Amino acid sequence: IWRVDGHGMPKKAAIFLAISISFLFGIAWVGLELSCFLYLAICLYWLGHRTPARYLGISVIYTAVVVLIFKVALGLYLPSPLILRLFE
């Protein structure tokens, strides 16, 4: 059994690690925008920000900022997600 300071496995840290790894794969599968939005919304909801204005509003704002930074400021366009390639 994994023990950190005698309290067992740090479940919160392990869940965040799993969600973060899913986010990285999600960028390739469903795209940057949807992956970023879902990652933020799930994390905020799980951390206790349960009002829609908080977990959805903050997720939309941060997703818009990330998209603007990547696409407008940096001029970096990621390839189309794998899920969209299925329908081409």
Side-chain angles (χ1 to χ4, degrees), residues 15-43 63 66 70 78:
I15 291 171
F16 272 122
L17 178 64
I19 292 172
S20 297
I21 291 171
S22 300
F23 168 68
L24 294 175
F25 285 108
I27 291 173
W29 292 335
V30 295
L32 175 67
E33 296 87 355
L34 185 59
S35 180
C36 184
F37 174 78
L38 289 175
Y39 174 74
L40 289 169
I42 290 168
C43 287
T63 300
V66 167
F70 271 91
L78 298 174

Side-chain angles (χ1 to χ4, degrees), residues 21-87:
I21 291 171
S22 300
F23 168 68
L24 294 175
F25 285 108
I27 291 173
W29 292 335
V30 295
L32 175 67
E33 296 87 355
L34 185 59
S35 180
C36 184
F37 174 78
L38 289 175
Y39 174 74
L40 289 169
I42 290 168
C43 287
L44 286 171
Y45 188 83
W46 187 61
L47 287 172
H49 301 281
R50 304 279 160 100
T51 60
R54 277 202 175 162
Y55 78 92
L56 294 177
I58 292 171
S59 298
V60 167
I61 291 169
Y62 273 91
T63 300
V65 169
V66 167
V67 169
L68 287 174
I69 288 172
F70 271 91
K71 293 186 176 178
V72 177
L74 297 175
L76 179 67
Y77 290 90
L78 298 174
S80 61
L82 295 175
I83 198 163
L84 290 179
R85 291 185 197 164
L86 294 174
F87 301 109

